[in-house]
């Protein structure tokens, strides 16, 4: 289960949704995540009360079209799979949101099973082993009194 955060300068909700779709499809295609395993925080910054800074680090000429994509996920994927993910995100961001690939900045943060609680204050990956949290059926709501 990845947790995705996308930050963009001067962006409307339509473009944010397109970028979220691009990242979700890339995760599904390259890493096999189910399409409904979608947890995203999409934020547009206005340039006045919130800013995004960028540089020309490693010779990449970025501009205010920068899109920061932060993905937190469980560790264990090979570097080649991560490289394919980066490439696919850049391709789909260009296709769906007219974002230049040079402006797509992706950072992965890996962690372990113990670092996730998907609800109920439980560590589902520890409690359920490797079974998907979606296999758990939610308890019905308590009757109203």
């Amino acid at each position: 289960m990845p947790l995705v955060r996308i930050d963009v300068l001067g962006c409307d909700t339509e473009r944010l949704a397109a970028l979220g779709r691009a990242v979700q499809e890339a995760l599904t295609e390259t890493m096999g995540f189910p399409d409904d395993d979608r947890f995203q925080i999409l934020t547009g910054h206005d340039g006045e009360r919130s800013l995004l800074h960028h540089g020309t680090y490693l010779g990449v000429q970025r501009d205010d079209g920068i899109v920061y994509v932060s993905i937190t996920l469980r560790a264990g994927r090979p570097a080649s799979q991560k490289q394919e993910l980066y490439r696919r995100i850049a391709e789909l961001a260009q296709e769906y949101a007219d974002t230049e690939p040079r402006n797509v900045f992706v950072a992965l943060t890996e962690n372990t099973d113990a670092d996730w609680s998907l609800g109920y204050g439980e560590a589902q990956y520890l409690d359920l082993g490797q079974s998907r949290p979606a296999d758990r059926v939610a308890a019905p709501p308590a009757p109203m009194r």
Side-chain angles (χ1 to χ4, degrees):
M1 182 199 92
L3 174 62
V4 174
R5 180 175 179 126
I6 300 173
D7 290 273
V8 187
L9 186 61
C11 185
D12 61 23
T13 56
E14 185 177 310
R15 183 163 179 243
L16 279 172
L19 289 165
R21 183 173 136 222
V23 171
Q24 183 63 27
E25 284 187 25
L27 284 164
T28 299
E29 290 176 19
T30 64
M31 295 196 169
F33 287 105
D35 192 50
D36 68 343
D37 189 353
R38 185 176 191 161
F39 296 90
Q40 298 182 337
I41 303 162
L42 310 174
T43 306
H45 298 268
D46 64 11
E48 293 179 20
R49 291 176 300 215
S50 58
L51 302 171
L52 295 180
H53 293 279
H54 52 82
T56 309
Y57 186 65
L58 295 178
V60 179
Q61 299 291 321
R62 296 170 197 87
D63 59 32
D64 284 346
I66 188 87
V67 173
Y68 288 106
V69 179
S70 300
I71 303 172
T72 303
L73 69 169
R74 292 185 290 167
R77 289 160 186 86
S80 60
Q81 191 176 37
K82 294 173 187 178
Q83 289 173 306
E84 180 63 17
L85 173 67
Y86 305 146
R87 183 192 61 76
R88 193 65 179 137
I89 289 172
E91 288 174 353
L92 292 173
Q94 183 173 32
E95 181 179 339
Y96 296 160
D98 198 28
T99 300
E100 294 183 42
R102 67 183 172 85
N103 276 326
V104 178
F105 185 106
V106 181
L108 296 182
T109 302
E110 295 181 313
N111 59 24
T112 67
D113 290 350
D115 297 314
W116 295 90
S117 175
L118 310 178
Y120 296 103
E122 299 172 6
Q124 284 85 352
Y125 290 132
L126 292 179
D127 297 342
L128 300 176
Q130 294 298 322
S131 63
R132 287 185 56 218
D135 295 339
R136 177 191 171 126
V137 176
M144 298 289 289
R145 292 183 193 220

